[in-house]
Amino acid sequence: MFFYTRYPSSGTLKTYFSDVKFNRCITSQLIKWFSNFREFFYIQMEKFSRQALSDGVLSVEMLTVTRDSELARVLNQHYNKANDYEIPSKFLEVSQITLREFFSAISRGCDADPSWKKSIYKVICKLECDIPDAFKSPQGLPDTVHE
């Protein structure tokens, strides 16, 4: 589900986890899990951005995220351990935009400011996309979900 939304509302969670009996504690725990998922995502973006700078990359246009890239492999391994789902193209696009935002901010020295990531978070939260209806199924997801 993280491939589609990085900032799900409690209403979205309730829609897509219809088999869960929600209370304040469970809702809070699911929101915390997504927070942890985002944290991993952003840590990887910063790490790969700093590595690109260290490798001599000079422009954001040189940074791409494809299904075959190391960054996509790392993210897929974390969010899709069993490799049951094909990474959606939109997630690759969001990852590339995020990588470029981090790279740009770091190359401009914005990371000297303790709150430098906030502007990036604001950009990324606007890139949510629709979650496939298959995620709503009370029978669970099919064995594989592909675009």
Side-chain angles (χ1 to χ4, degrees):
M1 193 170 161
F2 188 81
F3 286 148
Y4 302 94
T5 180
R6 268 75 45 210
Y7 295 88
S9 67
S10 60
T12 298
L13 293 172
K14 289 173 183 174
T15 298
Y16 288 93
F17 291 95
S18 59
D19 57 335
V20 174
K21 183 171 170 59
F22 279 87
N23 60 36
R24 200 173 53 183
C25 180
I26 289 171
T27 303
S28 177
Q29 183 61 54
L30 280 172
I31 289 171
K32 178 68 175 164
W33 284 341
F34 270 87
S35 176
N36 290 341
F37 294 161
R38 278 192 311 274
E39 185 64 21
F40 178 82
F41 180 74
Y42 290 133
I43 286 169
Q44 295 309 307
M45 294 301 157
E46 182 175 354
K47 174 184 167 186
F48 276 80
S49 295
R50 290 188 188 283
Q51 184 61 50
L53 280 166
S54 165
D55 291 346
V57 172
L58 301 173
S59 121
V60 295
E61 289 78 22
M62 296 174 69
L63 299 173
T64 59
V65 179
T66 65
R67 291 185 195 289
D68 299 328
S69 66
E70 179 63 12
L71 178 56
R73 187 195 68 73
V74 168
L75 294 172
N76 188 53
Q77 179 133 21
H78 187 76
Y79 300 120
N80 187 21
K81 288 187 190 321
N83 205 30
D84 291 332
Y85 313 103
E86 182 177 290
I87 299 173
S89 297
K90 182 67 175 176
F91 182 74
L92 295 171
E93 179 186 327
V94 168
S95 297
Q96 181 171 297
I97 291 168
T98 308
L99 181 64
R100 288 177 173 188
E101 290 287 330
F102 268 84
F103 179 88
S104 180
I106 293 167
S107 64
R108 290 190 324 266
C110 296
D111 56 334
D113 179 349
S115 62
W116 70 281
K117 295 178 188 175
K118 287 183 181 179
S119 63
I120 296 171
Y121 299 162
K122 287 178 183 176
V123 169
I124 302 315
C125 77
K126 294 176 183 171
L127 299 175
E128 304 290 84
C129 61
D130 293 334
I131 302 166
D133 287 340
F135 281 84
K136 288 182 187 177
S137 171
Q139 291 79 32
L141 290 169
D143 289 338
T144 58
V145 176
H146 295 279
E147 291 187 331

